[in-house]
Amino acid sequence: MKSIFTLREDIHYLNHGSFGAVPKVVFETYQNFQKELAAEPLQFMIKNGPAHMEVSKKALADYINCDYTDLVYVTNPTTAINIVARSLKLNEGDEILTTNHEYGAMDRTWNYYCRKVGAKYVQQEIPIPIQSKEDFLQHFWKGLTTNTKVIFISQITSATALIFPVKEICDRARELGILTIVDGAHVPAHIPLDIKELNADIYTGACHKWMMSPLGSSFLHVKKEHQTWIDPLIISWGYEAQFPSESQFQDYHQMQGTRDFSAFLTTPACLQFIKENDWETKTAEAKKILHNYYPIVAKEIDSKPIAPLENEFLGQIVSIPIRTPNAQELKGILYNQYKIEIPVFDNMGPGKFLRISYQPYNTEDDMNALIDALRKIKTSTSLIQ
């Protein structure tokens, strides 16, 4: 499988969760759009590109089950959350309830906007290892107060790579009248996503991770009843548009003037690749292999899994607590000496973690190379304790 991706053949690439990897056929589609843009920029910007965009949004909406007029493409989920956070009318004393497992850029975003008005970003501790869904929910709701106005939560976390029960959280939040914002960066084409069933008020996901588009393609989905208060992060041609579409939400956020939006247009090619390569079957097998290796790798560094080895909590990405005095040095040695591309997180979320991603282009040779490297580093250095 690796030969049909753009990845280097000499690298054990166990880091799909960070930046994905692009199938060659999808990358060719991406470059064809860029060539079309370069050949006739004006026609692409005002006519052909927007037509391609409609096709792409409809394909994405069909895949994640939502109305295509309720979503817009953005470059990454961080941009999406900044659009929302900037638009929220928070007051002094208001609270945003989240967990201590969230992505660092999101923590920084929410802390920034909360400080401007005197609101509070409440990072409720979720202890690891997680024992059960009920255990998680019990800990999470301890952070709820009468001042809670918003719940922000990852469906799959970045540092700890855990699947959180966001459907149950969204359901209860709706009963309490609390706005729900879900960071689903790792979700599309990784675990099933049904926007209508999940019923979050606001949802963002990345296409350039497990859906395998080129970098710079993500989406923001907002329920219609909330679209009027979501201001554009950038005021451009879509604001008070000369030729408005049927959706002000689309005009405000999608029409940004001169930029290369070719990555947004590759979603149909990604979904075609997924279909033609029976990706659901292949990823199920990849997940099984990773779950089998998870406790083996953990034992190698005197650690343990942080959740039950079940699909309810774990997908094609897992994190292992690791004791290291220098995470960046360890990461550098793994890459420079052993040709293993893998993240080692230093105090992200509730600790330090070695995170493994496993796609169908990976093989057990990649996992065995990691085990061998960790064993050698542990016996010859003090980087693994």
Side-chain angles (χ1 to χ4, degrees):
M1 293 299 298
K2 196 171 183 180
S3 65
I4 64 174
F5 282 79
T6 56
L7 293 167
R8 282 173 50 178
E9 289 285 349
D10 62 326
I11 300 295
H12 299 285
Y13 195 75
L14 294 168
N15 194 20
H16 189 97
S18 288
F19 301 108
V22 187
K24 290 177 180 177
V25 64
V26 174
F27 195 72
E28 289 168 4
T29 301
Y30 171 58
Q31 291 184 310
N32 287 338
F33 282 126
Q34 291 182 313
K35 289 175 182 177
E36 185 180 343
L37 167 62
E40 185 32 291
L42 184 62
Q43 290 301 311
F44 188 88
M45 285 292 183
I46 67 173
K47 183 179 178 182
N48 298 338
H52 293 313
M53 183 81 80
E54 288 294 288
V55 172
S56 185
K57 282 189 291 190
K58 288 177 180 178
L60 176 60
D62 184 61
Y63 184 65
I64 63 177
N65 192 27
C66 68
D67 186 331
Y68 83 98
T69 62
D70 293 337
L71 64 80
V72 291
Y73 278 107
V74 292
T75 53
N76 50 50
T78 301
T79 300
I81 297 303
N82 270 270
I83 291 170
V84 176
R86 183 172 177 266
S87 301
L88 270 173
K89 300 301 185 286
L90 293 171
N91 298 309
E92 185 175 359
D94 287 347
E95 294 180 359
I96 297 175
L97 176 59
T98 187
T99 76
N100 64 326
H101 291 241
E102 304 306 318
Y103 185 51
M106 300 293 91
D107 289 337
R108 287 163 173 78
T109 297
W110 287 114
N111 278 320
Y112 173 83
Y113 285 106
C114 284
R115 286 169 188 154
K116 288 179 75 72
V117 297
K120 188 177 180 182
Y121 185 55
V122 180
Q123 295 175 275
Q124 180 61 28
E125 181 183 359
I126 306 297
I128 54 175
I130 287 180
Q131 305 297 330
S132 66
K133 183 188 294 185
E134 292 71 26
D135 177 61
F136 171 90
L137 293 170
Q138 183 180 7
H139 283 288
F140 179 76
W141 289 115
K142 287 179 181 178
L144 180 71
T145 74
T146 55
N147 293 325
T148 303
K149 298 296 186 292
V150 177
I151 288 173
F152 169 74
I153 191 165
S154 294
Q155 189 169 5
I156 301 178
T157 62
S158 178
T160 50
L162 293 168
I163 300 172
F164 283 169
V166 295
K167 178 68 169 68
E168 289 82 350
I169 290 171
C170 289
D171 288 346
R172 185 177 177 194
R174 184 155 296 99
E175 295 173 358
L176 297 170
I178 298 173
L179 184 77
T180 51
I181 304 171
V182 177
D183 180 354
H186 285 275
V187 173
H190 186 175
I191 62 174
L193 174 60
D194 187 318
I195 292 287
K196 289 183 179 178
E197 181 183 357
L198 188 65
N199 209 17
D201 293 305
I202 297 169
Y203 192 100
T204 182
C207 302
H208 58 227
K209 290 185 183 289
W210 301 91
M211 195 182 286
M212 301 172 289
S213 83
L215 288 178
S217 181
S218 301
F219 66 87
L220 171 65
H221 178 274
V222 179
K223 281 188 170 183
K224 283 185 171 60
E225 60 261 38
H226 297 295
Q227 291 174 9
T228 55
W229 60 262
I230 304 287
D231 293 329
L233 194 62
I234 299 172
I235 305 299
S236 188
W237 291 103
Y239 186 78
E240 298 180 350
Q242 184 177 2
F243 303 106
S245 71
E246 62 182 24
S247 170
Q248 180 177 288
F249 176 64
Q250 298 264 320
D251 293 343
Y252 276 20
H253 301 280
Q254 205 69 84
M255 295 174 63
Q256 296 293 340
T258 305
R259 60 173 174 166
D260 182 358
F261 49 85
S262 299
F264 298 165
L265 311 181
T266 62
T267 296
C270 295
L271 297 177
Q272 185 67 23
F273 175 87
I274 288 170
K275 180 180 179 181
E276 289 181 353
N277 287 276
D278 191 17
W279 210 242
E280 186 174 341
T281 300
K282 287 183 171 66
T283 53
E285 180 60 28
K287 188 186 302 183
K288 187 184 302 182
I289 293 170
L290 178 59
H291 291 188
N292 287 339
Y293 270 96
Y294 185 15
I296 298 172
V297 180
K299 185 177 180 181
E300 194 64 45
I301 57 174
D302 298 322
S303 188
K304 294 180 180 179
I306 60 175
L309 301 178
E310 300 170 4
N311 293 345
E312 182 179 42
F313 300 102
L314 303 170
Q316 291 170 246
I317 181 171
V318 299
S319 286
I320 308 170
I322 188 168
R323 293 181 297 278
T324 177
N326 194 324
Q328 290 308 305
E329 184 179 353
L330 175 58
K331 182 181 184 301
I333 289 175
L334 283 166
Y335 184 79
N336 294 320
Q337 294 187 23
Y338 298 97
K339 301 300 181 186
I340 298 171
E341 182 68 84
I342 190 170
V344 185
F345 295 126
D346 189 2
N347 294 321
M348 278 188 63
K352 298 183 180 184
F353 298 93
L354 177 78
R355 194 185 70 183
I356 309 169
S357 299
Y358 197 93
Q359 273 281 56
Y361 58 70
N362 290 115
T363 69
E364 294 189 51
D365 285 345
D366 295 319
M367 297 302 298
N368 290 326
L370 175 62
I371 291 169
D372 183 61
L374 292 172
R375 184 178 297 134
K376 290 177 179 176
I377 293 170
K378 184 181 175 183
T379 57
S380 63
T381 76
S382 60
L383 284 173
I384 299 176
Q385 299 176 351

